[in-house]
Amino acid sequence: MTARISCFVLSGGVGARLWPLSREDNPKQFHDLAGEGSMLTQTVMRLKSRCNAETPIHLIASERNADRVWSDLAGIDLSGGSAVFEPVGRNTAAAIATATLHTIARHGDGIVLIVPSDHAISTNLEFWETIEKGVPAADESSIVVFGLRPSRPEAGYGYIEAGAPTGETDIRNVLRFIEKPELEVAKRYIGTDSFFWNTGILLYRASTMREAFLRHRPEIWTGAEQALDAATTNVSGTYLPLDLYALIPAISIDYAIMEKVSNIALVPASFNWSDLGSWQSLLDSSVTDQSGNVVIGDVVAIDCENSYLRSRGRLLSAIGLKNVAVVSTADATFVAPVAESQHVRRVVERLEKWGRLETKFTPSHNHVLLPGAWRERVAHWLFNETLPHWSTVGVDERHGGFYEALSLDGKPLAKQKRMRTMARQVYAFSVAKLRGWDGPADKIIAHGIEFMKRGRTRRGGWARTLSVDGAVADPCEDAYDHACVLLALAYAHQAQNPEAFRLGEETMAFVAAHLEDGRFNGFLETSSGTGLRRSNPHMHLLEAFLAWHTATGQRSYLRHAARIVDLFRMHFFDADSWTLGEYFDDKWKPAAGEQGQWTEPGHHFEWASLLVEFAAKSGQTDPIPYARKLYASAIANGLNRSTGLAYGAVSRSALPLDMISRSWPQAEAIKAAIALDGTGGPDLKPEIETRVGRLFRWHIDPAPVGLWIDRIDEKGKALATETPASIFYHLVTALMQYLDKTESATVRPISASPGAPVPGLDRDMFDQALRDSA
């Protein structure tokens, strides 16, 4: 009886050597490089082609790519196999230990085949003929590798040195592994009978690999066993827990096991193979024209020879190129001699050091390309729908201040009034006045400030919450609230409110006296100084200090801002994951447990725009790479791929922790893209339009006039039952900045009169734009 072989496809890599096509959010295995489906799909179909034997197919993949995996494999029967999702990459040793444990749990001591997800192999028949030759050796407790005789000196591949054939078969004992030799060394391997390219394919009996791990790296085996025991399983796969899996050492199977064991057999492969790890390998393995060129996409090639020319999204023209790779995408172009193209990783490393976005995310083909495409819709919503609605229905004329929320039928809801919400409404109407709104801004600003003053504490601070009628409900003096008050007063001062400057100075004095950490270590959460420390109040204080610098021109506010930026550099930002921590202990170490892993894409966007503003005001340039990294991290790891909206929170290793998408992070994404456009990175104007389009598609257009749907679940379903007033400030700020950014794109004048129609507004055009950006 033919042996059952449990196949595991490793699908956790990025494929940086195929940049700019392959990126962190769109790895190589998901690309169709040969016109026959994605590399992952081709790999699975190759495994399915085995006849007359049980061959379950499993995947070890990154959890953040789970949706993409099942999208690629939709309708493909895995023959009893399943997917195991890693919460964070720990290299191939952990993945193979997990695969072996999974096999033992399912089938006992069975035969295991490990294959990469992104290699090209000539035919399915030749593949399985080669694999079957290794089964007897695997049954006899050898770990079997598969080698290909090199056809050229290749410095980008690993090599295996093997002894002479043993017995009547061509199976050999492995003498050593060679990791990507120098070109001159690789030349000496050509034509010998001892050196083979390492295909990265492994075949073994589960007990053999278990014994190897327990002897040489027991901590990896034990860690994978604990993680698999604690995993959760549903119809989509098995999900390994982050807290346990992240503890496993990150090391390759070569270093962990293969270089330490002696029972390794090599089977020479009868198939043609390429790891498609460079543009050279793609040129070698692809169909060429009569001049030896690979030409893909919108390309005009004249008098070119032996070149790889690929364009995605725009015209590429070339004359007289010989042995050159040119790969062009919507936002990046790579050019190199084909023989040097494997060194593209050096470009990627340089870009990552600079904080460039092009390594992290792939621009969508559905971007709205025309800057200002949403301008009329934005202006109409702001000036004709939202400001008129919130300046009337949203103002509590009876008790003072503003309503905390409106129902989705537009009626005020009687709730306690938070100081931050009152301040944000004052801010929003101040911004509207400064932007030219002709409504009763002065009256509304004064009305809001008068109500806020009822919440002054005896020490000159501001209470956290007020009752509906203005009595103090919670007298706590919170740093977050004081940041919002300072921001509101800075803009009210610019809008010529007569009280704002005095109140701002008094508030600054209170913050200095009661909220500053006496150790010059940032600001306390509250004047009592207890509880976890958070980065978020510091972000809002940075926002307020920059606003007061704008309002007064005084450098002292920049010095306050600089101290917060220093905290960001030293404690808030994690250089390895490009993430911003939220919760810390009193010494600014990440909090224990999930709180220490908690990051919010919306705050990444907010910090990005503030860091760019601080750089412009201070003359410092180093905050801009930080801003780019925050934006890139949020786009690559913080978006729901179904809706394109930012999640509420993800872990530092990119696992969704809060899958609800609220409206404010989408507004902050617009602000961040506007801030970063023109700072030396890619052209983000299409990205700006797309972000505006998604905000309207999911949050604004489905809502009644003047309102928005604040909460969308991971499948795009609206969850909101009310419209919170605190979000108004995010939307007004972002969309006013969008109008400023696209000023030169104006085609027709926009009426700012409440209730007046926008001249020439083509609703069908905007409906189509919504569909295009969805």
Side-chain angles (χ1 to χ4, degrees):
M1 178 179 177
T2 305
R4 177 183 59 240
I5 297 179
S6 297
C7 303
F8 285 83
V9 181
L10 303 187
S11 180
V14 174
R17 286 184 294 159
L18 290 186
W19 184 88
L21 195 64
S22 181
R23 308 195 186 185
E24 188 170 307
D25 72 333
N26 194 19
K28 167 183 155 190
Q29 61 267 26
F30 297 118
H31 288 276
D32 182 353
L33 298 175
E36 299 175 355
S38 72
M39 302 300 298
L40 175 62
T41 301
Q42 291 181 59
T43 301
V44 170
M45 295 306 294
R46 183 181 309 120
L47 297 175
K48 280 180 61 66
S49 68
R50 186 181 187 224
C51 299
N52 303 319
E54 188 179 351
T55 313
I57 302 166
H58 306 271
L59 296 98
I60 307 288
S62 170
E63 184 174 330
R64 72 179 182 183
N65 291 329
D67 290 343
R68 187 69 185 272
V69 166
W70 292 122
S71 174
D72 272 28
L73 300 182
I76 299 177
D77 180 9
L78 297 181
S79 305
S82 61
V84 179
F85 291 110
E86 299 177 298
V88 60
R90 305 311 289 159
N91 215 317
T92 52
I96 289 171
T98 301
T100 307
L101 282 157
H102 196 65
T103 299
I104 292 171
R106 289 282 192 94
H107 307 297
D109 187 19
I111 299 291
V112 181
L113 176 66
I114 303 291
V115 297
S117 63
D118 54 0
H119 291 183
I121 290 174
S122 53
T123 72
N124 295 343
L125 178 62
E126 291 170 333
F127 171 80
W128 276 112
E129 285 178 348
T130 300
I131 299 301
E132 299 286 3
K133 289 178 183 178
V135 172
D139 269 332
E140 294 173 5
S141 300
S142 288
I143 299 174
V144 182
V145 296
F146 299 86
L148 200 77
R149 285 188 172 84
S151 59
R152 64 181 186 277
E154 175 59 69
Y157 290 167
Y159 286 74
I160 302 170
E161 184 180 6
T166 58
E168 298 180 0
T169 69
D170 197 23
I171 297 178
R172 302 155 179 250
N173 292 322
V174 170
L175 302 179
R176 64 179 176 132
F177 293 88
I178 300 104
E179 177 66 23
K180 296 179 182 176
E182 296 293 332
L183 186 61
E184 290 304 315
V185 176
K187 288 178 180 178
R188 297 201 295 268
Y189 297 161
I190 301 296
T192 71
D193 192 46
S194 300
F195 292 92
F196 298 80
W197 283 336
N198 187 355
T199 64
I201 301 170
L202 300 179
L203 185 76
Y204 56 85
R205 184 164 287 283
S207 59
T208 303
M209 188 61 76
R210 177 182 60 195
E211 290 166 11
F213 270 107
L214 290 175
R215 180 175 180 181
H216 298 287
R217 295 304 298 262
E219 76 281 15
I220 295 177
W221 182 264
T222 302
E225 188 173 35
Q226 291 173 346
L228 198 57
D229 286 345
T232 59
T233 300
N234 58 35
V235 293
S236 66
T238 297
Y239 294 82
L240 299 168
L242 173 63
D243 57 342
L244 294 176
Y245 200 72
L247 298 177
I248 301 174
I251 185 172
S252 72
I253 191 68
D254 294 340
Y255 291 135
I257 300 298
M258 304 300 284
E259 293 183 355
K260 294 181 171 65
V261 299
S262 58
N263 55 327
I264 304 178
L266 179 139
V267 175
S270 61
F271 51 77
N272 292 325
W273 166 90
S274 173
D275 75 345
L276 299 185
S278 69
W279 298 114
Q280 170 78 70
S281 62
L282 274 171
L283 177 63
D284 294 338
S285 62
S286 302
V287 176
T288 61
D289 63 18
Q290 60 186 6
S291 298
N293 301 307
V294 172
V295 177
I296 299 174
D298 192 2
V299 178
V300 175
I302 300 173
D303 297 333
C304 295
E305 297 177 13
N306 303 319
S307 293
Y308 189 92
L309 307 172
R310 185 181 192 117
S311 177
R312 188 174 186 179
R314 55 182 173 180
L315 173 65
L316 170 64
S317 58
I319 298 176
L321 296 182
K322 292 179 174 59
N323 304 311
V324 172
V326 182
V327 182
S328 179
T329 65
D331 64 338
T333 301
F334 172 71
V335 182
V338 172
E340 301 294 323
S341 64
Q342 74 271 17
H343 298 306
V344 67
R345 187 184 298 275
R346 293 165 57 189
V347 175
V348 173
E349 290 171 353
R350 181 73 59 86
L351 293 173
E352 288 184 341
K353 181 178 179 181
W354 290 347
R356 294 292 295 254
L357 310 179
E358 293 91 335
T359 65
K360 293 287 185 181
F361 79 99
T362 306
S364 301
H365 292 300
N366 58 13
H367 277 166
V368 179
L369 297 179
L370 180 64
W374 283 91
R375 184 176 174 81
E376 291 188 6
R377 178 71 182 108
V378 166
H380 188 271
W381 187 75
L382 280 173
F383 294 114
N384 295 60
E385 299 178 19
T386 308
L387 285 166
H389 191 73
W390 286 87
S391 64
T392 52
V393 179
V395 178
D396 186 348
E397 297 287 0
R398 178 181 177 187
H399 298 294
F402 308 96
Y403 291 107
E404 188 69 30
L406 301 180
S407 66
L408 289 180
D409 59 2
K411 296 178 181 178
L413 299 177
K415 292 186 168 188
Q416 285 191 343
K417 297 172 179 176
R418 296 181 297 169
M419 185 61 69
R420 65 190 63 173
T421 303
M422 303 301 105
R424 286 176 169 183
Q425 296 300 83
V426 168
Y427 163 88
F429 286 105
S430 299
V431 169
K433 178 186 176 181
L434 294 170
R435 191 58 177 66
W437 180 53
D438 59 3
D442 289 332
K443 177 182 175 183
I444 294 171
I445 294 166
H447 173 87
I449 291 175
E450 193 62 31
F451 182 79
M452 289 166 57
K453 284 160 54 179
R454 301 188 201 176
R456 293 296 296 275
T457 65
R458 60 181 181 79
R459 299 190 297 182
W462 303 81
R464 180 181 280 163
T465 59
L466 305 173
S467 65
V468 172
D469 62 5
V472 172
D474 182 354
C476 178
E477 296 158 327
D478 186 291
Y480 191 122
D481 295 308
H482 284 74
C484 294
V485 169
L486 282 171
L487 179 69
L489 294 173
Y491 275 84
H493 173 58
Q494 292 180 73
Q496 300 181 328
N497 178 271
E499 288 192 282
F501 184 77
R502 172 183 59 81
L503 291 171
E505 285 193 319
E506 292 174 1
T507 305
M508 283 294 302
F510 174 84
V511 169
H514 301 288
L515 288 173
E516 280 199 55
D517 188 326
R519 299 165 295 177
F520 295 98
N521 204 15
F523 293 85
L524 305 174
E525 287 291 308
T526 67
S527 57
S528 65
T530 59
L532 283 174
R533 308 290 291 274
R534 294 183 300 156
S535 59
N536 193 27
H538 291 77
M539 179 188 71
H540 286 290
L541 284 166
L542 173 61
E543 181 182 34
F545 294 149
L546 292 174
W548 273 101
H549 177 262
T550 300
T552 66
Q554 294 179 19
R555 298 282 297 180
S556 60
Y557 293 110
L558 276 187
R559 287 193 289 272
H560 288 302
R563 287 173 54 195
I564 293 178
V565 173
D566 285 343
L567 270 179
F568 168 86
R569 292 187 185 101
M570 291 186 293
H571 299 295
F572 300 163
F573 181 76
D574 180 73
D576 293 330
S577 61
W578 292 10
T579 56
L580 171 82
E582 293 286 336
Y583 298 98
F584 300 85
D585 64 19
D586 195 49
K587 296 181 180 178
W588 289 118
K589 301 297 182 185
E594 185 179 274
Q595 286 183 312
Q597 289 291 314
W598 190 275
T599 77
E600 298 193 17
H603 289 158
H604 282 57
F605 294 135
E606 283 190 271
W607 273 98
S609 57
L610 290 170
L611 288 170
V612 172
E613 183 181 354
F614 174 76
K617 290 179 181 295
S618 67
Q620 299 181 25
T621 58
D622 74 294
I624 292 177
Y626 284 110
R628 291 190 193 127
K629 290 178 179 180
L630 288 172
Y631 186 83
S633 173
I635 292 293
N637 303 325
L639 300 186
N640 179 334
R641 298 301 168 186
S642 298
T643 62
L645 301 175
Y647 283 130
V650 297
S651 72
R652 288 192 185 273
S653 54
L655 298 184
L657 298 177
D658 177 2
M659 292 189 287
I660 301 301
S661 295
R662 296 194 62 192
S663 52
W664 70 264
Q666 324 317 322
E668 295 302 328
I670 297 168
K671 287 169 57 181
I674 289 171
L676 285 167
D677 187 47
T679 62
D683 179 6
L684 290 178
K685 295 180 185 64
E687 178 74 3
I688 294 166
E689 299 299 325
T690 296
R691 294 289 137 218
V692 174
R694 293 196 188 282
L695 175 66
F696 273 82
R697 159 68 177 86
W698 294 101
H699 292 285
I700 292 178
D701 278 349
V705 172
L707 303 178
W708 53 90
I709 303 296
D710 186 48
R711 295 164 58 83
I712 305 289
D713 75 6
E714 69 273 19
K715 297 181 184 199
K717 180 182 177 182
L719 298 179
T721 57
E722 61 185 44
T723 300
S726 61
I727 308 303
F728 187 49
Y729 121 98
H730 291 280
L731 301 177
V732 168
T733 307
L735 296 178
M736 291 294 189
Q737 287 185 14
Y738 172 77
L739 293 178
D740 291 338
K741 175 74 174 180
T742 57
E743 192 78 50
S744 61
T746 303
V747 178
R748 292 179 292 273
I750 299 172
S751 170
S753 301
V758 176
L761 175 63
D762 186 343
R763 184 68 197 199
D764 290 339
M765 176 188 74
F766 282 106
D767 287 344
Q768 183 60 51
L770 281 169
R771 289 190 291 272
D772 290 343
S773 64

